[in-house]
Amino acid sequence: MTAQHQSRLASFTGDANPYGGGDPYADYRTADFPFTQYANLADRQLGAGVIAANDEFFAQRENLLVPEAAEFDPEHFGHKGKVMDGWETRRRRGASAEHPWPTAEDHDWALVRLGAPGVIRGIVVDTAHFRGNYPQAVSVEGTSVPGSPSPEELLGDDVKWTTLVPRTPVGGHAANGFAVSAEQRFTHLRVNQHPDGGIARLRVYGEVVPDPEWLATLGTFDVVALENGGQAEDASNLFYSPATNTIQPGRSRKMDDGWETRRRRDQGNDWIRYRLAAQSQIRAIEIDTAYLKGNSAGWASVSVKDGEGGDWREVLPRTRLQPDTNHRFVLPAPAVGTHARVDIFPDGGISRLRLFGSLTEAGATALAARHQELGG
């Protein structure tokens, strides 16, 4: 296993105070982590899953990837004890009455399949509401295995695991953040808690690196989709929801599953800038305003540029949008570019943006080279 350098971030150790009533998040410890600008590669909406754990006696492993913040009900008990919204294992014990304590090597683990393989920039191990029953330390390892390996295959001796987060003390009732600098493409993680305890949520922030062979086989696909390597790089306003929502899989399921800005009181407009999977030819566009009814954008335009220093070219002129509607546009000629921007007028929101096309020869070559460089 290869340990990777970690940047210095705010860290938390030790117990939190016992719950004393009122808002359970009032004494929650957290910080602004710079890597949260990236997409969550462990998002269930992308297809992530916790595929195995050695122990989940008190609380199920699947809770780790629930998108909402962990909840706490002080009076909720079940047949096995306190019901916690997270993954919690039983208390470890030693080998005998003379040695009742767990060894230094004893630990519990869970295997996580990322929803989209990619380069990991940071990990948050959230111990919300685990105040005296959190792990003493955590560690995280990553591997890249093609296809759909079983837990038994991932635990085989032939699988190489890279240490992304070395064994590190963590705090209870806290967002424990770790920067990751491994320039590799990972498909699965092994999350370890030493020696036992509970973790509420796991977030894995990074950049999607798609399989170029798969995209080449598809031919025409959504070149800005998160699962295909697209990225929301910047936006004018993120007051109500993140711009990354607009390139998530599937249609929006509720209002906050899209992108909505605060109300403007000037003569400007709002926008999102995207990086495409690679240089692409765009032939068709979808702009969806699903579930945005009294707050959808009034008009929208789409522009494309080729390269960081390229000039923006409008490929879809300012067009009236309808609330709660999927709008489809076929371009009169393919638009070649590496970046796209959607402008909405004057404010409001959209739920999804789809840019259908295919990679250019240069784009396919660049994507294949990056995939190989990252060990894909």
Side-chain angles (χ1 to χ4, degrees):
M1 298 180 186
T2 304
Q4 302 293 336
H5 170 73
Q6 286 184 279
S7 302
R8 290 189 62 82
L9 296 171
S11 60
F12 309 100
T13 55
D15 292 347
N17 292 324
Y19 175 64
D23 178 7
Y25 275 105
D27 60 341
Y28 175 68
R29 295 175 287 177
T30 187
D32 291 328
F33 301 118
F35 47 74
T36 57
Q37 64 179 295
Y38 295 100
N40 178 19
L41 304 183
D43 192 336
R44 284 288 297 169
Q45 201 168 348
L46 279 175
V50 187
I51 61 175
N54 72 307
D55 186 289
E56 47 186 327
F57 185 86
F58 285 116
Q60 295 86 356
R61 64 183 191 262
E62 288 86 357
N63 289 333
L64 283 173
L65 305 188
V66 170
E68 293 80 17
E71 297 181 349
F72 180 72
D73 181 349
E75 298 181 359
H76 192 188
F77 287 83
H79 294 293
K80 293 182 179 181
K82 181 73 186 72
V83 176
M84 296 294 290
D85 185 6
W87 167 50
E88 185 181 6
T89 65
R90 73 192 76 200
R91 299 187 188 216
R92 282 184 169 270
R93 297 292 185 247
S96 65
E98 291 73 26
H99 298 281
W101 309 278
T103 70
E105 293 74 31
D106 286 343
H107 67 278
D108 292 319
W109 53 263
L111 294 179
V112 177
R113 179 189 64 242
L114 297 179
V119 178
I120 297 169
R121 301 302 182 192
I123 296 172
V124 174
V125 177
D126 190 346
T127 58
H129 314 304
F130 289 93
R131 295 170 178 269
N133 51 347
Y134 60 94
Q136 181 183 33
V138 300
S139 62
V140 182
E141 302 156 278
T143 190
S144 182
V145 178
S148 304
S150 67
E152 292 75 21
E153 290 170 323
L154 288 169
L155 295 172
D157 293 337
D158 58 334
V159 175
K160 176 187 176 183
W161 291 89
T162 299
T163 300
L164 306 180
V165 178
R167 181 170 175 167
T168 307
V170 294
H173 197 43
N176 300 278
F178 306 93
V180 177
S181 58
E183 287 295 322
Q184 298 177 47
R185 178 181 185 267
F186 295 102
T187 61
H188 295 77
L189 300 184
R190 184 161 59 189
V191 181
N192 306 303
Q193 44 181 342
H194 308 265
D196 54 39
I199 298 171
R201 297 289 187 265
L202 177 74
R203 304 292 185 247
V204 183
Y205 297 98
E207 300 174 69
V208 176
V209 181
D211 180 352
E213 184 178 356
W214 175 254
L215 296 185
T217 302
L218 292 179
T220 296
F221 59 93
D222 181 1
V223 299
V224 77
L226 183 60
E227 61 191 313
N228 295 332
Q231 182 178 329
E233 289 190 321
D234 199 5
S236 60
N237 187 272
L238 302 172
F239 190 84
Y240 286 114
S241 44
T244 299
N245 281 356
T246 61
I247 53 175
Q248 288 276 10
R251 294 200 73 197
S252 177
R253 296 167 295 176
K254 49 193 174 70
M255 191 175 73
D256 65 349
D257 192 24
W259 171 61
E260 182 189 357
T261 70
R262 65 191 308 162
R263 300 189 188 206
R264 275 191 171 268
R265 301 307 189 204
D266 59 21
Q267 300 300 305
N269 75 284
D270 289 315
W271 51 267
I272 305 175
R273 186 181 74 240
Y274 304 91
R275 186 184 70 199
L276 308 183
Q279 188 189 60
S280 306
Q281 282 191 333
I282 301 169
R283 292 186 286 274
I285 297 173
E286 281 189 6
I287 300 175
D288 196 353
T289 59
Y291 292 98
L292 295 163
K293 298 181 178 181
N295 50 352
S296 67
W299 293 262
S301 66
V302 176
S303 302
V304 170
K305 74 172 182 177
D306 193 21
E308 293 288 349
D311 296 325
W312 289 106
R313 308 181 317 278
E314 191 174 71
V315 297
L316 179 70
R318 193 178 305 188
T319 303
R320 188 74 169 94
L321 299 182
Q322 299 301 318
D324 196 28
T325 300
N326 192 24
H327 309 76
R328 291 178 171 175
F329 310 95
V330 176
L331 301 184
V336 176
T338 56
H339 295 73
R341 190 183 72 222
V342 60
D343 286 85
I344 63 172
F345 302 88
D347 57 18
I350 61 173
S351 61
R352 296 289 188 271
L353 175 73
R354 306 296 188 207
L355 303 177
F356 294 104
S358 55
L359 299 182
T360 63
E361 184 176 347
T365 299
L367 186 62
R370 183 166 187 251
H371 186 265
Q372 183 176 19
E373 178 185 343
L374 296 171

